[in-house]
Amino acid sequence: MLELGKTGRKLINMDHGLSRIFGPVPSRRLGLSLGVDLIPHKTCSFDCVYCQIGRTTDKRIDPESFYSSEKIISEAKKYIPCSKAQTITLAGSGEPTLSKDLEEILRAIKEISHIPVALLTNGSLFWKPEIREASLIADIILPTFSAAREETFRRLHRPHPQLTLKKVIEGLQRLRDEYHGQIFLELMLVKGVNDDDQEIEALGRKIQELAPDKVQINTVVRPPSEPGTGPVSPHRLEEVKNFLGPRAEVVVATQEDRVASKPSREVILLEMIRRRPLSAQDIQKVTGESLDHVNSLLTDLIAKGLIEEQIHNGASYYKVK
Ligand code: SF4
């Protein structure tokens, strides 16, 4: 078992594997967010070309209990009360609605704290009544909605064979009818895939029907799973925002301005980088350490062969090997 002296927080338990609680990490959409990860790495109903955590290795639509909910709830009881997080987010290594324990864990977290609980989801499974019912407990649901035509949907998300865009939209419509919390749709724009006028107009019509509280427009910032997948320009992001109206906002990496006060240690860095590729600046913001210190730790981890640098759009990101 490894203990972190400065905070006393146990991040890695050698007997039982990695903690399912991570962060807090700066989120472009939710501020400083403590993550709860219910899903094994890359277990998902999609295999998006822009995915920042690699190719999907277990593509599925049927939920399963992947980890002991008792253990996750006990970790949540330990870490959430002392967290400075602004939100608790069910997110991480795959699609959280694929966890059979979603409802039980959401209920337990709501009992532990009053911090708003967000569900970060690809939105593909709300046609399943049991998944809608479990999700209703969250305070904010953030589904992805980035394609309004079947062909674009397939190209962008490479979904499970039993998923169609029609099915996904039906699920999102039912969710809107039944859910009284806030829905923030994420529109992920990829250059040359879903950024042309025809697609944006079709998206605008569907988004109108889905009546979200916000539309958060995003683009490819971190290294994608499919090489050659690129971001749209800031100008195009603004054009799309203006087209979609007052509910729309552009969320870009420069808005990641939340600072956490966690110590910088190799194991924390590895845990953070394992979740998603990060730049030295991202890590600096989370840990509060100087950039020089972060760079020196990153250099050590590269020398040990634990992480590697990847250049994306001229910026350096670090990912586990
Ligand atoms: S971006 Fe999200 S929905 Fe898409 S493959 Fe990655 S984890 Fe799944």
Side-chain angles (χ1 to χ4, degrees), residues 120-132:
L120 203 58
T121 166
N122 66 21
S124 66
L125 299 172
F126 289 121
W127 47 275
K128 292 189 175 229
E130 68 278 15
I131 289 184
R132 279 202 310 282

Side-chain angles (χ1 to χ4, degrees), residues 189-208:
L189 291 177
V190 175
K191 192 175 169 60
V193 178
N194 63 345
D195 62 334
D196 62 275
D197 286 351
Q198 226 186 334
E199 188 74 40
I200 299 298
E201 280 163 23
L203 276 164
R205 286 191 293 274
K206 286 289 170 209
I207 288 171
Q208 191 78 14

Side-chain angles (χ1 to χ4, degrees), residues 21-289:
I21 313 276
F22 63 98
V25 292
S27 157
R28 274 173 282 173
R29 309 167 68 195
L30 293 163
L32 191 62
S33 176
L34 188 73
V36 182
D37 187 359
L38 311 180
I39 301 291
H41 188 70
K42 279 322 306 258
T43 298
C44 192
S45 49
F46 284 173
D47 183 14
C48 305
V49 291
Y50 57 81
C51 186
Q52 62 190 20
I53 53 172
R55 293 296 305 259
T56 296
T57 47
D58 181 5
K59 197 184 281 183
R60 59 159 67 219
I61 57 169
D62 293 323
E64 197 177 311
S65 278
F66 296 102
Y67 301 106
S68 149
S69 54
E70 209 174 282
K71 185 166 170 274
I72 294 174
I73 292 166
S74 129
E75 285 181 341
K77 282 183 180 156
K78 209 183 300 175
Y79 300 141
I80 290 174
C82 58
S83 151
K84 294 190 175 87
Q86 294 160 313
T87 46
I88 295 161
T89 307
L90 272 70
S93 310
E95 171 50 35
T97 61
L98 283 171
S99 168
K100 250 189 186 166
D101 306 314
L102 181 66
E103 181 170 351
E104 182 189 354
I105 290 168
L106 274 170
R107 283 193 193 285
I109 293 173
K110 294 291 291 174
E111 276 175 22
I112 296 166
S113 126
H114 296 300
I115 301 172
V117 182
L119 174 63
L120 203 58
T121 166
N122 66 21
S124 66
L125 299 172
F126 289 121
W127 47 275
K128 292 189 175 229
E130 68 278 15
I131 289 184
R132 279 202 310 282
E133 203 180 318
S135 306
L136 299 184
I137 301 158
D139 298 293
I140 312 168
I141 301 180
L142 300 98
T144 302
F145 186 67
S146 304
R149 295 179 295 179
E150 185 68 30
E151 189 194 336
T152 315
F153 174 71
R154 306 222 147 261
R155 196 171 156 208
L156 188 67
H157 298 304
R158 300 183 291 205
H160 184 279
Q162 287 178 41
L163 287 176
T164 60
L165 179 61
K166 189 166 176 275
K167 213 170 193 174
V168 171
I169 291 176
E170 273 172 20
L172 289 168
Q173 274 162 342
R174 286 191 184 177
L175 179 75
R176 180 70 288 181
D177 291 344
E178 294 169 17
Y179 179 61
H180 302 298
Q182 297 192 84
I183 296 182
F184 297 175
L185 279 190
E186 179 191 49
L187 169 53
M188 172 61 87
L189 291 177
V190 175
K191 192 175 169 60
V193 178
N194 63 345
D195 62 334
D196 62 275
D197 286 351
Q198 226 186 334
E199 188 74 40
I200 299 298
E201 280 163 23
L203 276 164
R205 286 191 293 274
K206 286 289 170 209
I207 288 171
Q208 191 78 14
E209 288 169 28
L210 294 173
D213 297 274
K214 278 187 191 178
V215 182
Q216 298 187 313
I217 307 166
N218 206 345
T219 193
V220 187
V221 176
R222 296 171 199 285
S225 74
E226 194 61 41
T229 302
V232 301
S233 68
H235 177 69
R236 185 59 174 158
L237 289 171
E238 278 303 311
E239 276 182 349
V240 174
K241 178 182 92 111
N242 293 336
F243 174 75
L244 294 177
R247 277 181 299 200
E249 61 184 6
V250 174
V251 286
V252 292
T254 51
Q255 289 175 341
E256 292 181 355
D257 55 358
R258 305 292 183 179
V259 177
S261 57
K262 291 287 171 192
S264 176
R265 300 282 297 266
E266 276 193 2
V267 71
I268 295 182
L269 244 65
L270 271 175
E271 173 68 0
M272 287 165 61
I273 295 168
R274 189 181 75 82
R275 307 284 172 178
R276 61 175 186 167
L278 292 172
S279 67
Q281 286 77 10
D282 290 333
I283 296 163
Q284 193 247 335
K285 284 173 189 168
V286 177
T287 60
E289 297 287 331

